[in-house]
């Protein structure tokens, strides 16, 4: 079991470092010997998605769901694929609906996942449901106050409605949580008036 954990961690680290080919190879080897671990299908889905191999990623996520239909994070990651498809104008309404349903399925299984809350908030911001968007971004922050992406996402929402005071406050908090978060620094500089 300890060897398995080390191999999984190696695959995860390679994925985080951007070595997708090697991460994929190790993950496939792990799936071959451990076909009932849903985390591996989730990881493979993320690796494939990062390589823009979307159909393969969807298939991997769906295999993971068949093994464990209660694994909340896999629903979030599958939803993200459909959300991203909608941004490319691929069957916008259909993909938005699929993404929304999958995010909700993820949150039904585990309402404390900050990523799923924040991602659902982004979806609602995209389709103009401002109150719902704000609600889910705040749920993401309350679930994990150190999840700096939620502060950025709620700041985008506030920028879109012209509430720059709240946007600045949340961008500042994102930077406090991750001082190297260059995107938040850039967004904050865009809405700050300099003399």
């Amino acid at each position: 079991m300890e060897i398995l954990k080390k191999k999984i961690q190696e695959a995860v680290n390679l994925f985080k470092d951007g070595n997708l080919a090697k991460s994929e190879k190790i993950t496939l080897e792990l799936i071959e010997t451990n076909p009932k671990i849903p985390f591996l299908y989730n990881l493979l889905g993320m690796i494939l998605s990062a390589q823009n191999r979307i159909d393969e990623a969807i298939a991997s996520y769906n295999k993971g769901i068949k093994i464990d239909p209660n694994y909340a994070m896999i629903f979030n990651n599958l939803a993200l694929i459909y959300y991203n498809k909608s941004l490319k104008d691929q069957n916008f309404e259909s993909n938005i609906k699929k993404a929304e349903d999958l995010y909700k399925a993820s949150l039904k299984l585990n309402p404390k996942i900050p990523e799923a809350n924040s991602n659902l908030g982004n979806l609602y911001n995209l389709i103009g449901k401002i109150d719902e968007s704000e609600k889910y971004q705040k749920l993401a922050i309350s679930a994990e106050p150190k999840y700096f992406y939620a502060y950025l996402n709620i700041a985008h929402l506030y920028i879109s409605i012209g509430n720059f005071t709240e946007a600045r406050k949340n961008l500042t908090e994102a930077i406090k949580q991750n001082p190297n978060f260059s995107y938040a620094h850039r967004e904050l500089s865009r809405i700050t008036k300099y003399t």
Side-chain angles (χ1 to χ4, degrees), residues 23 44 47 53 55 70 82 85 103 109 111 162 179 182 190 194:
S23 180
L44 181 60
I47 294 165
R53 293 161 55 192
D55 292 338
N70 295 313
Y82 290 106
K85 279 184 166 194
Y103 287 137
L109 292 168
S182 60
R190 285 180 57 221
Y194 297 97

Side-chain angles (χ1 to χ4, degrees), residues 107 110-115 117 136-147:
L107 291 169
N110 183 353
K112 297 290 185 188
I113 297 177
E115 296 90 345
N117 278 295
Y136 282 98
Q137 297 301 350
K138 286 182 176 180
L139 284 170
I141 291 166
S142 68
E144 177 48 70
K146 293 182 187 285
Y147 185 62

